[in-house]
Structure formats: structure tokens, C-alpha cells
């Protein structure tokens, strides 16, 4: 019985690790897409403000699920993207 519980716990830990990696990859891809669109927005090739805002919101909702270490690593990237978006709005308003 004890071996079965250990085996089950190991399987759950492996599944959790896999899920964490996939979630981290998803968040990274959302951030990368946000930076790409924000750059286009700055160069005036399309209005991607709403999509970048949506991506920021999605990442902000997903971050609390990650481990503390992953959150610490990814939160600054989200803040940078949000800052880039804010800077872009200020630049558009100034022109």
C-alpha cells in the first residue's frame, strides 16, 4: 500500500512539474507577443493597444498560479511590457 502512495505522489509531482513548465512557456509566449505588438504600435504599424492590454491582463491572471521563483522572474517582464505600453500612449499623445 505504501509503495502505491509513493508512486501516486511521484506521478502527481511529475504532472505538476510538466504543467508548471507548460504554463511558464505559455506566459513567455504571451509576453513575447505583447512586446512584438507594442513595438509595432510604437512604429505606427497598426493599432495593437487593445491586444497588448489583453495579453498583459492574461499574464497578470496567470502569474499567481506559478511558483514564487517563476513569478519573481516573470513579473518584471510584465511590468516592462506595461511600461512600454504606457510610454507608447504618451508618445502618441505628444505627436
Amino acid at each position: 500500500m505504501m509503495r502505491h502512495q509513493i508512486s501516486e505522489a511521484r506521478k502527481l509531482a511529475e504532472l505538476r512539474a510538466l504543467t508548471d513548465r507548460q504554463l511558464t512557456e505559455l506566459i513567455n509566449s504571451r509576453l513575447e507577443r505583447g512586446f512584438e505588438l507594442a513595438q509595432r504600435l510604437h512604429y505606427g504599424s497598426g493599432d495593437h493597444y487593445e491586444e497588448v492590454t489583453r495579453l498583459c491582463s492574461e499574464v497578470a491572471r496567470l502569474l499567481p498560479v506559478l511558483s514564487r521563483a517563476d513569478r519573481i522572474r516573470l513579473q518584471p517582464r510584465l511590468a516592462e511590457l506595461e511600461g512600454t505600453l504606457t510610454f507608447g500612449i504618451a508618445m502618441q499623445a505628444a505627436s
Side-chain angles (χ1 to χ4, degrees):
M1 185 70 168
M2 191 69 143
R3 265 190 205 166
H4 177 70
Q5 290 174 336
I6 292 171
S7 176
E8 196 67 29
R10 186 175 294 140
K11 287 178 187 177
L12 288 173
E14 289 171 3
L15 181 59
R16 174 62 195 227
L18 175 63
T19 303
D20 287 349
R21 281 192 305 274
Q22 290 172 333
L23 185 56
T24 301
E25 289 171 9
L26 174 69
I27 290 171
N28 274 317
S29 72
R30 295 298 194 263
L31 287 169
E32 288 303 316
R33 178 71 178 148
F35 281 113
E36 289 170 12
L37 293 174
Q39 186 174 23
R40 290 182 192 172
L41 185 64
H42 292 304
Y43 291 111
S45 64
D47 182 17
H48 302 288
Y49 175 80
E50 288 182 21
E51 187 171 354
V52 176
T53 301
R54 182 187 60 76
L55 289 166
C56 286
S57 295
E58 182 179 352
V59 168
R61 281 192 317 274
L62 293 172
L63 279 177
V65 178
L66 294 177
S67 69
R68 184 173 188 275
D70 286 334
R71 278 195 318 273
I72 289 170
R73 186 174 53 80
L74 292 170
Q75 281 175 329
R77 292 193 68 217
L78 175 59
E80 180 183 354
L81 180 57
E82 291 170 333
T84 301
L85 194 57
T86 302
F87 178 75
I89 293 168
M91 293 299 290
Q92 284 182 343
S95 54

